[in-house]
Amino acid sequence: MNDILQVEHLSKQFGGLKAVNDFSMTVQEGEIHALIGPNGAGKTTLFNLISGFIPPSAGKVIFAGQDVTNAKPYRLCSKGLVRTYQIVQPFRGMSTLDNVMVGGFTHTDKTSVAREKARKALEITKLDRKADVQARSLNLCEQKRLEVARALATEPKLIMLDEVMAGLNPTEVAEVMEIVMDIKRLGITIVIIEHIMQAVMSISDNITVLSFGEKIAEGKPDEIAADPNVISVYLGSDYAQE
Ligand SMILES: Nc1ncnc2c1ncn2[C@@H]1O[C@H](COP(=O)(O)OP(=O)(O)OP(=O)(O)O)[C@@H](O)[C@H]1O
């Protein structure tokens, strides 16, 4: 498999705090790669660095063979790298379809083409029946899926999902897991930040673990679940015994 994303020695300092410290990782094309770790470990900062929302203090980001360090988010999006936000932020007074069409205009200025891409993204996220309702009337699970749909409508090669399952009940988590697997089946690479370990362990191909801004482990889900260091800083012994 080819590498689609390489993060090399990335660091981000906020004043005296090293939020991300000399972090490297490789994401292979077509995989689901999870980033896990305790609160404040630096996962969201890493997403912000990779997706161009904040500049790194040091290090490089290579996407699809190109150095994209310091590239702006809209440029990365047009190259095929897009992310969602932990806090959903739809245009609440607009319909679900119109919200998703915003993403659909990434590679076209034709309304009919953008609408078609948006409709496809709504099908994948199982929101097609909600296309015409206002975003403010969607429940949390639907709003999370709307975030994903907006990103999908940009036709990404790699989508970065920031806690899309947080706050959902078990049935909704299962629904979103299925959608994430469907996205993978479309050939789109996925990097996912998630705290719900059952979900992470069952959908991920590879997992990278962060603690205090540094990588402390990486590997297949079963390797991570059995790693004594990961158990001690994050998973806890209850999970390991499950
Ligand atoms: N803009 C900022 N200015 C100063 N400190 C920041 C900034 N953004 C993040 N931090 C700090 O950097 C560290 C890493 O935060 P980050 O949000 O990346 O962690 P996280 O792993 O995503 O946590 P969570 O799981 O709670 O979302 C934290 O100590 C946080 O307080």
Side-chain angles (χ1 to χ4, degrees):
M1 277 222 214
N2 294 327
D3 297 341
I4 190 163
L5 179 73
Q6 290 150 287
V7 175
E8 298 178 358
H9 304 288
L10 212 56
S11 293
K12 181 68 185 181
Q13 202 144 345
F14 294 116
L17 175 79
K18 288 180 176 166
V20 173
N21 189 16
D22 196 21
F23 176 90
S24 299
M25 77 175 207
T26 299
V27 176
Q28 291 173 352
E29 209 173 335
E31 74 165 331
I32 298 181
H33 195 120
L35 273 178
I36 65 169
N39 291 328
K43 304 178 297 293
T44 297
T45 303
L46 196 54
F47 259 34
N48 289 338
L49 292 169
I50 295 170
S51 55
F53 283 83
I54 54 172
S57 312
K60 265 195 208 177
V61 179
I62 315 277
F63 175 64
Q66 279 185 303
D67 187 338
V68 295
T69 322
N70 293 314
K72 296 281 176 252
Y74 71 89
R75 286 236 320 147
L76 284 167
C77 179
S78 67
K79 285 177 188 290
L81 189 159
V82 72
R83 58 88 60 91
T84 67
Y85 290 89
Q86 196 172 339
I87 315 243
V88 289
Q89 12 180 239
F91 301 110
R92 296 169 59 76
M94 277 165 52
S95 73
T96 303
L97 178 66
D98 286 347
N99 265 279
V100 179
M101 277 177 70
V102 174
F105 279 110
T106 301
H107 297 287
T108 182
D109 51 14
K110 287 206 177 82
T111 304
S112 57
V113 177
R115 187 180 296 119
E116 195 44 44
K117 291 179 188 202
R119 289 213 178 271
K120 229 160 115 186
L122 288 178
E123 258 174 52
I124 299 165
T125 51
K126 302 190 168 72
L127 278 174
D128 26 352
R129 288 189 4 222
K130 298 279 178 169
D132 299 324
V133 310
Q134 283 199 349
R136 67 161 55 90
S137 69
L138 299 178
N139 66 31
L140 179 66
C141 183
E142 291 162 345
Q143 287 191 30
K144 293 262 184 189
R145 277 146 50 204
L146 171 57
E147 270 288 297
V148 177
R150 254 199 323 201
L152 279 177
T154 69
E155 300 187 318
K157 296 190 180 93
L158 187 155
I159 184 167
M160 300 173 71
L161 304 175
D162 194 351
E163 296 203 30
V164 280
M165 300 174 200
L168 305 187
N169 69 38
T171 313
E172 294 168 336
V173 168
E175 260 173 51
V176 174
M177 278 167 64
E178 196 48 50
I179 290 168
V180 174
M181 294 299 292
D182 285 343
I183 295 170
K184 174 183 161 159
R185 286 182 203 110
L186 291 169
I188 299 169
T189 309
I190 298 156
V191 180
I192 184 163
I193 296 178
E194 198 51 73
H195 283 287
I196 301 174
M197 274 313 108
Q198 267 172 321
V200 168
M201 292 295 172
S202 75
I203 65 174
S204 305
D205 297 296
N206 285 294
I207 300 176
T208 296
V209 190
L210 268 167
S211 177
F212 291 110
E214 296 188 6
K215 179 163 77 182
I216 59 160
E218 67 186 338
K220 306 273 168 225
D222 53 345
E223 294 164 341
I224 295 299
D227 185 311
N229 198 15
V230 178
I231 292 167
S232 108
V233 304
Y234 185 53
L235 294 179
S237 50
D238 288 352
Y239 186 85
Q241 282 160 13
E242 268 176 23

